[in-house]
Amino acid sequence: SYNSYVGCLFSLMFAIGIMAIVPLAMWAEHSWRMLTVLTNAPLVLLFFTFPLCPESLRWLVVKGRPDDALAIVRRVARFNRVSLPQNITLASDADDGQAGGPGDGKSARGIRDLLRVRTLRWSLLVMTFVWFTTSLTYYGLSLNAGNLSGDIYANTVLLAAVECPAYAVALPSLDRIGRQRTQVFFFFVAGLGCLGVLVLNSPTGRNVLAMVGKFGISVVFAVIYVFSSELFPTEVRSAAMGICSMGARIGGLIAPQTVLLGHTAPQLPLAIWGGCAVGAGALSLTLPETLGQKLPETIEEAKAAEAFLAAGKGGGKGGGSGGGGYKRLATNLDSDSDDDDAAAGGGGAAAPRRNGERA
């Protein structure tokens, strides 16, 4: 799986973009209109990229459009000069013929369906706050360059440059430590770094703590893109990601207002961001780990997971916390699937693929 690589690459573009703005801002220092034009003009190029972006294969299969998904697979195979069997077919791991399940195309799933499942509802609430806090802290620290000691342009470059090693740390952490643990740890790094201003309240100290906070929250920014997309079933993932993104936009709107508080109390913005980051890290402890787990593709799979854990089949208390219960659930479902295949004479579908394994 290249999820971690893609997530970190997306986040790296933020750092490059911020550093690219600095010379433009220096050149158009006395004309905010010119700076606005220069920074937004490249967006026109995005309109020409839509035909180059294929639809998600999992989404097409879950929505009952396997032929469209197969057409994309064949197009990719031709580009990579790979031969595919003529009789190849695509099917969802969760394709069990249930109403509303993959392949029937009878009903469109939305946010209401997601909210009916307790575990998904909690994950959505927590991740919305996580995205809100990440955006609030990230943009707050970026915009706070003017309140730090030293040159505003140099501070802006430094606050963006510190993101590069952050993403270099995020990449191996996502695949070795896990999504949830990485998110929790670096939320605490960002939070404690920002809260340290209450103890080390000096111009130089605020600069150093701001860099520590930006490093931590940058790692989290890379994690949430990967982690959030894996927490929710395929058929409602876009709705869930939309809600999380809305939380991030609210955080981005509030961030400039918290920066203004620094004009009267320099330590207050960092204290606010640090408190939110520690709170988000604590809440993230309640989320399941997704690395190496069989991810749900449908609401039905998520409901089955919730019922399994509620019945105590996860092997003790806390089966749904920290990902352990999900791991046992995946093992149990695989066992059930193998039993079903054996009963059918060995003609069942291929074993379900774990998150992180290549097809």
Side-chain angles (χ1 to χ4, degrees), residues 305-320 323-330 332:
E306 183 176 83
F308 176 82
L309 295 175
K313 296 180 182 178
K317 296 181 180 180
Y326 274 37
K327 191 174 208 176
R328 289 187 289 270
L329 170 65
N332 183 78

Side-chain angles (χ1 to χ4, degrees), residues 18 53 56 81 136 156 256 277 305:
I18 292 175
C53 298
S56 166
R81 298 179 181 179
L136 172 69
T156 301

Side-chain angles (χ1 to χ4, degrees), residues 293-294 304-305 307-309 311-315 324-340 352 354:
Q293 308 303 317
K294 180 182 180 297
F308 176 82
L309 295 175
K313 296 180 182 178
Y326 274 37
K327 191 174 208 176
R328 289 187 289 270
L329 170 65
T331 302
N332 183 78
L333 291 177
D334 287 350
S335 176
D336 292 345
S337 177
D338 292 341
D339 293 343
D340 293 342
R354 292 283 195 275

Side-chain angles (χ1 to χ4, degrees), residues 118-119 122 180 285-289 305 309-310 314 316-326 328:
R118 182 177 57 84
T119 52
W122 177 250
Q180 185 231 33
L285 289 169
T286 66
L287 297 173
E289 179 58 68
L309 295 175
K317 296 181 180 180
S321 176
Y326 274 37
R328 289 187 289 270

Side-chain angles (χ1 to χ4, degrees), residues 1 3-4 179 225-233 237 241 289-291 295-296 355-356:
S1 173
N3 288 2
S4 302
R179 280 70 156 138
Y225 280 102
V226 178
F227 194 24
S228 300
S229 66
E230 295 175 350
L231 278 175
F232 304 105
R237 183 173 298 136
M241 293 294 286
E289 179 58 68
T290 60
L291 177 63
L295 304 179
N355 176 41

